[in-house]
Amino acid sequence: MRRVSDLLRTPAGRRLTLVAGPWDAREVGSVVLVDEMRELGSAAPGALAILSRHAMRSCDVLDALRLAGRGGLAGIVLPGPSGTTPEMVELARREGVALLAGASDHSLSDTVLGLSAAVRADPGLLLRRTREAIDGLGAMEGAGEDDILRAASASVGVAYVVADLADPAANATVIRVGGRPDGYVCWEGEDPAAAIVAQVVATTLGRVRAAAREAEAARERALLALLGAKDTRTAARRARHEGVPVDGWHVAVFLRDPGGDSTPGTADPVLRDARRTAAALPGARGLDRGFGDRGFGDTGAGDTGPGGTADLSAPPLVTRWQDGVLVLLTADERTTPGACLPYPPRAQWPSVVGAGVGTCQSGPDGLRRTASQARAAAARAAAGEIVRFDRLGVHALLAELSGSESALVAARDMLAPLERLGALSGHAVPTLKAYLDSWGSRTRAAELLSLHPNAVAHRIRRIAEALDADLSDPQTRFALQLACHVVLDHDCLPGTTTPISSS
């Protein structure tokens, strides 16, 4: 461990002059620049304090020596040449503090940097600082990333930060999760202890992230099991065990993405963007009352409802579900039902998909209900559009049916005979829908389809024959009209009769 006598032999120390006090009374653990005298009182024991001229204007040398002695400092450096008095020499000896004077032609910053580098290069101090930092990290089992970075930075004396990409101008070491790079721990400076500890920080963060992702994956599996379970009570118990907040107030957002790839290890931009957006939620805004007419995130002043606001009781759950991505937001079960949950602004969601939002529901059954509503609403959303289930009005029933797998299967089975109509099969369902929506008016249906009324009559005759259906029967007409809406809402772009893919 270096003492003041050792530092005086370094290039930076040769510009200093010992004025009074012992030069080997205490080991030097750090070098600090003091611009105000209160900073001298808070300096760490063993520090070598370099005083600025501003600091000396508020305190004389004797007061500085007393403060340094009470704090166990190794020495203080005065700015520029300094004389001595018998009282000053005696006080420095009694306090065990080396009193040094700096060169008038050398900047304080150069002195601090030079002496700091010399202190850090000491093998004994390097080993002690590294060991203390590593021991401190080992005692932080279960801590979060921010706490780990904060503790490591404080123990070594550098500012560690985490970045997705390494800055070429900074030092960096890679964080690995499952053997794959997952960000970097970055810091500045040439401190050898900081470089060693950074490796330990990166390894610790890798373990923390791996554990967090495994816990998140377990919650997602439990959530999916609850959504598809026939025995809700058993599935809810498993979900609670995995940390899914099933007993609170829930609102679901569903991002329709039929072309998404959920294969493990492959890129999934919609899922990635949804997770990033959900993780960036502010503290509290907008449950189902927190939406403006233009979509969520567009609320006006005072549009948060009478129930106030509610914090999320758990991080949002984001997972692939059926033909899209489900985002589940939950507030504590003790929250007032009229309270508000935060929603990301409309612009933050991926613009290439349609989104649906369910209503606020409570408990395990409510969780399933709001998820189903969100998916049903998303089925009616065009790309970049957000549809709220409670704004669908009379179309809510159709949205529920179009979002139901059993209803879709039944509707497709009912209309399956139309596939035998050859060239007409691709136009049969849109034609039948237009005809039934027009109350059996061939003229009105022809206008909707840009056809001659006789062409519509010919198509309807062939369609009725293929289905073996009596289109004059009210119940038959209603069932077929409902089936057409369910199939087209699911298989076509919302608001059109143009299939996304050929039948």
Side-chain angles (χ1 to χ4, degrees), residues 186-410:
C186 303
W187 73 99
E188 295 183 352
E190 301 301 327
D191 186 350
I196 296 172
V197 174
Q199 296 285 347
V200 180
V201 172
T203 301
T204 303
L205 293 184
R207 289 200 300 267
V208 169
R209 291 185 176 186
R213 289 176 190 177
E214 177 54 36
E216 185 70 12
R219 284 192 291 271
E220 291 176 15
R221 291 192 295 269
L223 172 61
L224 293 176
L226 175 59
L227 291 173
K230 294 182 179 179
D231 183 356
T232 305
R233 295 184 63 180
T234 300
R237 283 198 298 269
R238 175 193 168 190
R240 291 187 189 96
H241 178 74
E242 296 294 351
V244 179
V246 298
D247 299 306
W249 290 93
H250 313 286
V251 170
V253 179
F254 186 81
L255 307 178
R256 184 171 48 80
D257 182 28
D261 185 358
S262 58
T263 304
T266 60
D268 195 339
V270 173
L271 181 62
R272 181 195 61 223
D273 292 346
R275 282 175 171 160
R276 182 180 296 119
T277 300
L281 279 171
R285 273 296 290 266
L287 189 90
D288 51 345
R289 298 192 184 212
F291 289 93
D293 292 333
R294 300 174 299 278
F296 54 96
D298 296 325
T299 58
D303 191 28
T304 55
T309 59
D311 290 330
L312 294 179
S313 60
L317 276 172
V318 184
T319 184
R320 278 237 162 242
W321 180 50
Q322 298 188 11
D323 57 343
V325 173
L326 178 69
V327 181
L328 183 68
L329 308 175
T330 303
D332 192 274
E333 61 267 23
R334 293 168 293 183
T335 301
T336 304
C340 298
L341 281 172
Y343 287 109
R346 174 177 181 170
Q348 291 184 8
W349 294 111
S351 60
V352 295
V353 300
V357 183
T359 60
C360 180
Q361 301 286 336
S362 66
D365 291 326
L367 185 155
R368 290 157 56 100
R369 190 175 303 114
T370 188
S372 177
Q373 290 175 347
R375 183 173 181 270
R380 304 185 68 85
E385 182 184 8
I386 295 169
V387 175
R388 286 183 48 184
F389 183 83
D390 62 353
R391 298 283 175 87
L392 292 177
V394 296
H395 298 289
L397 175 60
L398 288 174
E400 285 271 25
L401 290 174
S402 63
S404 166
E405 288 297 326
S406 58
L408 180 62
V409 170

Side-chain angles (χ1 to χ4, degrees), residues 378-470:
R380 304 185 68 85
E385 182 184 8
I386 295 169
V387 175
R388 286 183 48 184
F389 183 83
D390 62 353
R391 298 283 175 87
L392 292 177
V394 296
H395 298 289
L397 175 60
L398 288 174
E400 285 271 25
L401 290 174
S402 63
S404 166
E405 288 297 326
S406 58
L408 180 62
V409 170
R412 284 177 171 167
D413 288 344
M414 186 182 300
L415 300 175
L418 299 180
E419 297 177 1
R420 299 194 295 266
L421 291 177
L424 177 58
S425 62
H427 307 284
V429 176
T431 300
L432 180 59
K433 175 181 177 294
Y435 177 75
L436 296 175
D437 286 351
S438 302
W439 296 87
S441 169
R442 291 176 295 173
T443 302
R444 175 58 182 155
E447 292 175 357
L448 293 175
L449 298 169
S450 299
L451 293 173
H452 192 278
N454 290 341
V456 173
H458 173 71
R459 287 187 179 185
I460 292 299
R461 184 169 58 253
R462 293 189 60 191
I463 289 170
E465 291 173 353
L467 294 173
D468 191 21
D470 179 8

Side-chain angles (χ1 to χ4, degrees), residues 109-129:
S109 60
D110 289 344
T111 302
V112 172
L113 291 174
L115 293 176
S116 296
V119 170
R120 288 196 301 267
D122 178 72
L125 180 60
L126 172 63
L127 181 61
R128 190 186 74 185
R129 292 171 62 224

Side-chain angles (χ1 to χ4, degrees), residues 19-21 62 65 84-94 99:
V19 175
L62 295 177
L65 284 171
T84 59
T85 64
E87 185 180 9
M88 191 182 301
V89 172
E90 174 57 24
L91 183 59
R93 182 194 64 77
R94 188 168 65 248
L99 180 63

